[in-house]
């Protein structure tokens, strides 16, 4: 059965801290791993990773994929209150090749 | 503005009363999908469609129907809703398979089945 696991499930940090969110997966026909940020409403896209070892960066956020060990991390440096959200990890692929499997999400709260 | 539009945004209804949640996208995307989101379970895929007249089951299709008669629209139908279908529902679209392209999500529909 395809599955995506995220840890921790929730996290509370102070502004300025650095956080690392983890995502591990067991998905047949792996195509890519994607990170989304969900605030009050719709998830919004952060990164898509397809190759191992290549870091993707956007401002204070970065992510990397390890296809051998089947995991990815999302790093956020110098956290701000606006980073408070649920971070979703998703893997494209699955038994029919065109599905997408989401993890349960990591709820991040950044306090001043 | 590129967007995915869901209606209604909120609905409270009773067991057994058929309902339809509409989803429309204006980006000419091939792939559309429905998800439900429940606490602690994340987003679970209900149905998806790779193109017009092509639909496929996701992980939790029981109790739901979909159709894709036009490229832009992908309605979700609950023929006989039950309380265990109370949830937050998201429609999403992408240019091609979500394994190759990120998805754009609607703002969600909160359904309460009494």
């Amino acid at each position: 059965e395809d599955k995506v696991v995220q840890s921790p499930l929730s996290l509370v940090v102070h502004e300025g801290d650095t956080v690392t969110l983890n995502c591990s997966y067991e998905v047949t026909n792996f195509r890519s791993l994607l990170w989304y940020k969900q605030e009050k409403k719709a998830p919004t896209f952060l990164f898509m990773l397809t190759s191992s070892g290549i870091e993707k960066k956007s401002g204070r956020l970065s992510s990397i994929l390890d296809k051998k060990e089947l995991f990815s991390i999302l790093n956020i440096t110098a956290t701000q209150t606006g980073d408070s959200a649920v971070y979703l990890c998703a893997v494209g692929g699955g038994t029919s090749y065109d599905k997408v499997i989401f993890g349960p999400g990591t709820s991040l709260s950044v306090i001043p | 503005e590129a967007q995915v539009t869901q209606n209604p945004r909120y609905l409270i209804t009773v067991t057994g009363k058929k309902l339809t949640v509409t989803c429309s996208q204006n980006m000419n995307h091939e792939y559309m999908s429905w998800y439900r989101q429940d606490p602690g379970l994340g987003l679970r895929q209900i149905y998806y469609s790779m193109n017009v007249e092509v639909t496929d089951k996701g992980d939790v299709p029981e109790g739901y129907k979909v159709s894709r008669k036009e490229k832009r629209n992908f309605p979700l139908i609950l023929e006989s809703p039950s309380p265990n279908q109370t949830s937050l529902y998201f429609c999403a679209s992408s240019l091609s398979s979500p394994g190759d392209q990120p998805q754009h999500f609607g703002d969600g529909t909160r359904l309460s089945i009494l």
Side-chain angles (χ1 to χ4, degrees):
Chain A
E1 182 186 339
D2 296 326
K3 65 179 177 180
V4 176
V5 177
Q6 292 184 246
S7 64
L9 293 181
S10 67
L11 190 56
V12 180
V13 301
H14 287 94
E15 267 190 319
D17 288 350
T18 293
V19 298
T20 298
L21 309 184
N22 303 292
C23 175
S24 63
Y25 62 92
E26 291 177 29
V27 175
T28 54
N29 301 317
F30 174 90
R31 297 179 75 160
S32 65
L33 186 144
L34 303 100
W35 286 96
Y36 291 88
K37 177 182 182 181
Q38 185 178 23
E39 295 174 89
K40 295 295 183 192
K41 302 190 288 190
T44 53
F45 171 71
L46 293 174
F47 297 112
M48 185 165 81
L49 305 153
T50 56
S51 301
S52 283
I54 299 173
E55 186 182 47
K56 295 256 178 135
K57 289 196 75 168
S58 176
R60 296 175 294 102
L61 278 67
S62 64
S63 183
I64 197 161
L65 173 67
D66 185 329
K67 290 171 72 174
K68 183 180 176 186
E69 300 297 330
L70 307 183
F71 79 91
S72 173
I73 59 172
L74 175 68
N75 278 321
I76 308 175
T77 60
T79 51
Q80 302 171 356
T81 55
D83 295 326
S84 296
V86 175
Y87 290 83
L88 299 167
C89 175
V91 175
T95 50
S96 67
Y97 206 57
D98 290 314
K99 291 172 68 175
V100 60
I101 301 97
F102 279 82
T106 293
S107 176
L108 174 65
S109 296
V110 181
I111 54 178
Chain B
E1 180 191 348
Q3 58 186 3
V4 178
T5 304
Q6 296 178 227
N7 280 296
R9 294 289 316 283
Y10 304 91
L11 179 63
I12 301 174
T13 188
V14 296
T15 299
K17 186 176 181 182
K18 180 179 177 180
L19 67 92
T20 299
V21 185
T22 63
C23 174
S24 181
Q25 50 94 4
N26 62 0
M27 296 167 279
N28 202 36
H29 283 173
E30 300 282 343
Y31 188 99
M32 296 186 74
S33 183
W34 277 102
Y35 300 89
R36 60 178 290 172
Q37 187 172 35
D38 302 290
L41 296 177
L43 286 160
R44 291 182 292 167
Q45 196 169 31
I46 303 171
Y47 271 94
Y48 62 95
S49 169
M50 282 298 298
N51 211 329
V52 175
E53 302 292 0
V54 179
T55 62
D56 223 331
K57 295 178 181 179
D59 291 322
V60 288
E62 296 78 19
Y64 304 94
K65 283 176 59 176
V66 292
S67 67
R68 186 95 182 270
K69 293 184 170 54
E70 305 165 283
K71 197 172 187 179
R72 62 184 292 126
N73 295 323
F74 192 46
L76 178 70
I77 302 156
L78 285 72
E79 294 265 2
S80 183
S82 62
N84 65 11
Q85 293 176 297
T86 292
S87 188
L88 178 59
Y89 291 84
F90 286 100
C91 180
S93 72
S94 53
L95 195 59
S96 60
S97 171
D100 298 329
Q101 296 284 339
Q103 294 179 87
H104 297 252
F105 286 82
D107 283 339
T109 296
R110 188 166 291 282
L111 280 183
S112 293
I113 316 292
L114 304 177

